[in-house]
């Protein structure tokens, strides 16, 4: 199995509130956007024209990579509330 296959083998109980909050003011000064390139679930996207980074939390695999790789502490990440998030993974 490769990392790109993980989302299709994972089931989520999606919360209505996010567990990932970005400090976009900090992201404006980021010159590498490592979160965009490292998230296995492609939760982060970069708008090349506006230089704005956005995140969607619904398909987060809860691997923690983004929080580790962001060297500017721009990501406020926590596990989803109890009963939400990844509920089943066939790996
Ligand atoms: S979250 Fe961190 S790595 Fe991602 S764009 Fe913002 S500062 Fe850069
Ligand atoms: S913890 Fe971060 S890197 Fe891992 S899947 Fe979730 S958003 Fe992506």
């Amino acid at each position: 199995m490769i990392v790109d296959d993980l989302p299709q083998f994972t089931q989520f109980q999606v919360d209505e509130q996010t567990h990932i909050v970005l400090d976009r003011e900090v992201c404006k000064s980021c010159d590498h956007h490592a979160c965009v390139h490292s998230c296995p679930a492609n939760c982060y996207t970069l708008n090349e024209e506006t230089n704005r980074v956005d995140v969607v939390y619904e398909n987060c695999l809860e691997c923690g990579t983004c929080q580790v790789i962001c060297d500017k502490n721009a990501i406020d990440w926590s596990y989803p509330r109890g009963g939400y998030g990844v509920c089943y993974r066939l790996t």
Side-chain angles (χ1 to χ4, degrees):
M1 180 176 297
I2 61 174
V3 171
D4 287 348
D5 290 337
L6 278 175
Q8 65 178 301
F9 291 109
T10 306
Q11 289 183 353
F12 305 90
Q13 186 67 40
V14 177
D15 197 352
E16 71 272 9
Q17 73 181 47
T18 184
H19 64 284
I20 309 171
V21 178
L22 280 182
D23 186 335
R24 289 201 177 86
E25 283 304 308
V26 175
C27 293
K28 281 180 184 173
S29 63
C30 184
D31 60 0
H32 51 69
H33 308 109
C35 55
V36 176
H37 305 297
S38 63
C39 174
N42 297 315
C43 292
Y44 294 86
T45 54
L46 170 66
N47 184 317
E48 303 270 1
E49 291 181 7
T50 63
N51 198 40
R52 177 186 163 114
V53 175
D54 282 303
V55 63
V56 292
Y57 68 94
E58 288 89 341
N59 56 338
C60 172
L61 295 167
E62 301 172 26
C63 67
T65 302
C66 55
Q67 199 180 31
V68 171
I69 209 162
C70 176
D71 58 354
K72 303 180 190 313
N73 292 323
I75 303 172
D76 181 0
W77 192 97
S78 59
Y79 280 104
R81 296 187 296 168
Y84 293 102
V86 173
C87 60
Y88 177 78
R89 181 174 292 152
L90 186 66
T91 55

